[in-house]
Amino acid sequence: MTTTARFATITIVERKLPEDEMKKAFDESLLSIDINNLDEELTNQPATFVHYALKAAQKKSATEKAKLIKETTERKLYIQFRDAAQASGEKVTEATLDARVKTSDEYQLACAAHSAQQEQYFLFDAINEAYRQRKDMLIAAAANMRAERDT
């Protein structure tokens, strides 16, 4: 759906990751730690962390863009409904205008697109947090192995 705001054309695309695509986006086995191969685990941790950190940053940017589109759509529709009411001589309250905006298909689509982007951002942010915790576990495991070796 395309909407036109004062000086820009805005395209709203609702994109929600299907369950199988979410599984492809993240492999839970990557969080497991092979204690017998700790050197490799420690070596691979930063690259994998950065990969998901960059994905989270991209998703955050997309979420902010979707939020801006939602807010722009809301303002555009408010002005459109207010001007239409004034042109027809209809007296409307702020609450009535807000209700018309919030129930319009265009606004609902913008909200859905924002929610879908937010969901993807939260997913990658959670993955990022899991990698932070994995790093702590790797450090603890390495310290334990060192302590066992030294005794």
Side-chain angles (χ1 to χ4, degrees):
M1 171 180 263
T2 302
T3 61
T4 306
R6 292 218 164 154
F7 302 106
T9 299
I10 299 170
T11 303
I12 301 171
V13 178
E14 181 180 358
R15 172 98 165 86
K16 192 170 184 167
L17 282 177
E19 202 62 35
D20 60 328
E21 230 179 289
M22 287 178 109
K23 287 178 183 170
K24 282 186 210 169
F26 176 67
D27 180 5
E28 289 179 22
S29 69
L30 292 174
L31 285 177
S32 63
I33 297 172
D34 181 5
I35 296 296
N36 299 321
N37 199 4
L38 208 50
D39 288 340
E40 187 176 331
E41 295 286 349
L42 285 163
T43 304
N44 292 337
Q45 171 71 18
T48 310
F49 176 81
V50 166
H51 170 76
Y52 285 106
L54 289 173
K55 288 249 187 216
Q58 290 169 345
K59 297 300 179 182
K60 184 175 185 179
S61 176
T63 299
E64 289 170 356
K65 186 182 283 187
K67 182 180 179 186
L68 179 64
I69 290 171
K70 180 181 89 169
E71 291 169 351
T72 303
T73 301
E74 183 178 17
R75 285 190 299 274
K76 179 194 75 84
L77 288 170
Y78 183 89
I79 292 167
Q80 179 183 324
F81 289 138
R82 186 194 63 205
D83 291 349
Q86 284 177 346
S88 68
E90 178 186 7
K91 291 190 177 196
V92 290
T93 63
E94 295 282 324
T96 302
L97 288 172
D98 282 341
R100 287 180 185 172
V101 168
K102 302 263 192 259
T103 58
S104 72
D105 290 342
E106 196 173 333
Y107 181 74
Q108 293 294 319
L109 184 59
C111 287
H114 179 240
S115 293
Q117 289 297 332
Q118 249 184 340
E119 182 180 337
Q120 291 177 35
Y121 166 64
F122 291 150
L123 169 70
F124 282 99
D125 193 44
I127 292 169
N128 229 15
E129 179 58 31
Y131 271 99
R132 283 187 197 94
Q133 292 178 15
R134 183 180 190 274
K135 178 193 79 164
D136 294 342
M137 296 290 287
L138 283 167
I139 291 169
N144 287 343
M145 286 181 77
R146 203 173 16 256
E148 285 176 11
R149 189 179 47 217
D150 292 344
T151 57

